[in-house]
Amino acid sequence: MKMSSLLVIVLLSVSGIVQTKAYTSLYCSSSSRCGAKTVYCPEECPDSESNNRKEKVCRIDCGSPKCKSECKRVKPDCNSPGSACYDPRFIGGDGVVFYFHGKSNQHFSLVSDKNIQINARFIGHRPAGRTRDFTWIQALGLLFNSHTFSVDAIRSAIWDNEIDHLKFSYDGEDILIPAGHLSTWNSPVESVKVERTTSKNSVLVTIPGIVEIMVNVVPVTKQDDRIHSYKVPSDDCFAHLEVQFRFFALSSNVEGVLGRTYQPDFENPAKPGVAMAVVGGEDKYRTSSLLSQECETCVFSPTQDKENDSSIIMEYGTLDCSGSLSSGNGIVCKK
């Protein structure tokens, strides 16, 4: 898929004033599933790129024969369910905000279900006098359909917006995704798709029918350092990931730091009204490596017989909790 020219429509209003509207067109190549076709963006989202993470932009799935454009968010919204941002702050499927600090240079299972496991590598820093690390998510490791995929934030002493700080691998081999808005990579068997949502440092990772992950890499800024007293060293800006997940098929037995909050009967241990509700459980979710499926509570099993699995399958989108109350699939957004 690539962005094409603008379609300009000239309208003559009843008052006689001439008005123009510009619609971005997106083009699918002849080798795509829907064939060579140009599709124009809808009026609700006429642009295919935006700096506003909450604003929806125009997208078209060239892998679908429908070839229709739609309005989607493509950057993580750190204030909505399914997100993991900052140091790190999670918002669960139940809409509850909680912090899980883990430990620096260790790995933890964020989501573990029968057909998908998503681990995270934490990096961190412990200033003198503190009893625990400040931590951030530096990488995600995905296990699915006997394949693996990872996305890492590259370590940098000084942040430079003009440099791409993302690194990718598939089945243990590094992959190159050229910088550029809408630059796309598909795995050989089309089990995973990675699309750059800006020219650098932001991507949308899709495993069809299982999950979409919006990923953005950012540094710890001087303002962050000053506000939170991180006291980060001068040789590391702690580049880390902001992520938001949209799940399409979770079982009722899903586990993990974030995954368990999608269980139908989950009761969040985070205390209501606490400004920074920290939940523990490091030992339950710790994995030996970024792409390990083993942990105390992990349930991922790529060889499991899905036909004999009687667990409930649920679909969860990214909910909009900007109003006083939002719900869907039995989930309520909470303050």
Side-chain angles (χ1 to χ4, degrees):
M1 177 179 70
K2 65 179 181 179
M3 187 166 56
S4 184
S5 59
L6 296 178
L7 170 68
V8 179
I9 300 177
V10 180
L11 302 174
L12 183 64
S13 68
V14 292
S15 62
I17 300 175
V18 174
Q19 300 176 336
T20 61
K21 290 186 177 182
Y23 295 86
T24 300
S25 65
L26 302 177
Y27 174 75
C28 290
S29 67
S30 58
S31 61
S32 67
R33 186 176 178 185
C34 63
K37 187 173 184 179
T38 298
V39 179
Y40 291 96
C41 296
E43 184 175 356
E44 295 78 16
C45 57
D47 299 315
S48 61
E49 187 172 9
S50 173
N51 291 324
N52 184 348
R53 71 175 65 227
K54 292 187 177 181
E55 189 172 90
K56 293 183 178 181
V57 297
C58 179
R59 278 294 182 274
I60 179 174
D61 183 2
C62 293
S64 168
K66 294 181 179 179
C67 284
K68 291 184 178 180
S69 60
E70 61 178 338
C71 298
K72 296 178 68 175
R73 285 196 183 98
V74 291
K75 277 195 173 183
D77 181 353
C78 294
N79 294 311
S80 289
S83 62
C85 304
Y86 314 127
D87 61 344
R89 188 192 75 170
F90 294 84
I91 302 183
D94 54 0
V96 174
V97 177
F98 65 95
Y99 288 78
F100 176 85
H101 296 301
K103 289 185 179 180
S104 176
N105 300 317
Q106 293 191 7
H107 305 85
F108 300 91
S109 172
L110 302 187
V111 178
S112 183
D113 206 0
K114 60 178 184 174
N115 61 350
I116 180 73
Q117 180 146 325
I118 305 173
N119 298 333
R121 179 189 299 123
F122 285 31
I123 54 172
H125 169 65
R126 182 182 299 188
R130 286 192 61 84
T131 57
R132 66 165 181 82
D133 301 334
F134 287 116
T135 54
W136 298 271
I137 295 175
Q138 181 267 333
L140 293 181
L142 283 63
L143 298 88
F144 58 97
N145 299 334
S146 301
H147 296 287
T148 62
F149 174 84
S150 69
V151 52
D152 299 50
I154 300 172
R155 184 185 185 279
S156 301
I158 300 175
W159 181 262
D160 185 346
N161 283 323
E162 298 305 312
I163 296 176
D164 187 47
H165 297 264
L166 289 172
K167 178 183 177 183
F168 309 92
S169 76
Y170 177 74
D171 284 350
E173 299 289 335
D174 290 346
I175 57 176
L176 176 64
I177 305 175
H181 180 225
L182 301 184
S183 177
T184 302
W185 177 88
N186 288 278
S187 63
V189 292
E190 297 186 355
S191 57
V192 62
K193 173 184 176 182
V194 185
E195 177 187 4
R196 289 193 183 272
T197 52
T198 59
S199 61
K200 305 175 185 70
N201 297 317
S202 298
V203 294
L204 176 66
V205 179
T206 304
I207 302 176
I210 298 179
V211 66
E212 283 184 348
I213 310 173
M214 291 170 277
V215 181
N216 195 40
V217 59
V218 295
V220 173
T221 66
K222 291 182 179 180
Q223 183 179 5
D224 294 334
D225 195 11
R226 183 174 61 253
I227 292 173
H228 300 287
S229 297
Y230 293 137
K231 299 180 181 179
V232 297
S234 60
D235 64 345
D236 196 343
C237 68
F238 286 99
H240 60 280
L241 303 181
E242 297 176 332
V243 299
Q244 186 177 19
F245 302 93
R246 180 187 181 193
F247 299 105
F248 297 102
L250 290 177
S251 77
S252 59
N253 299 320
V254 60
E255 266 292 350
V257 175
L258 179 66
R260 61 180 179 156
T261 67
Y262 288 86
Q263 296 173 3
D265 56 352
F266 176 71
E267 295 185 8
N268 205 308
K271 295 181 180 179
V274 176
M276 292 184 64
V278 179
V279 299
E282 286 89 347
D283 291 341
K284 292 192 296 183
Y285 307 114
R286 184 181 288 108
T287 65
S288 59
S289 68
L290 185 65
L291 297 173
S292 170
Q293 68 184 62
E294 302 295 336
C295 78
E296 185 178 315
T297 59
C298 289
V299 297
F300 173 69
S301 177
T303 59
Q304 181 173 322
D305 185 354
K306 296 178 177 57
E307 293 183 359
N308 295 326
D309 179 27
S310 59
S311 60
I312 302 171
I313 300 297
M314 303 164 287
E315 178 177 336
Y316 294 98
T318 48
L319 305 184
D320 181 3
C321 290
S322 56
S324 59
L325 181 67
S326 301
S327 62
N329 296 301
I331 299 173
V332 177
C333 297
K334 301 176 183 178
K335 294 183 178 179

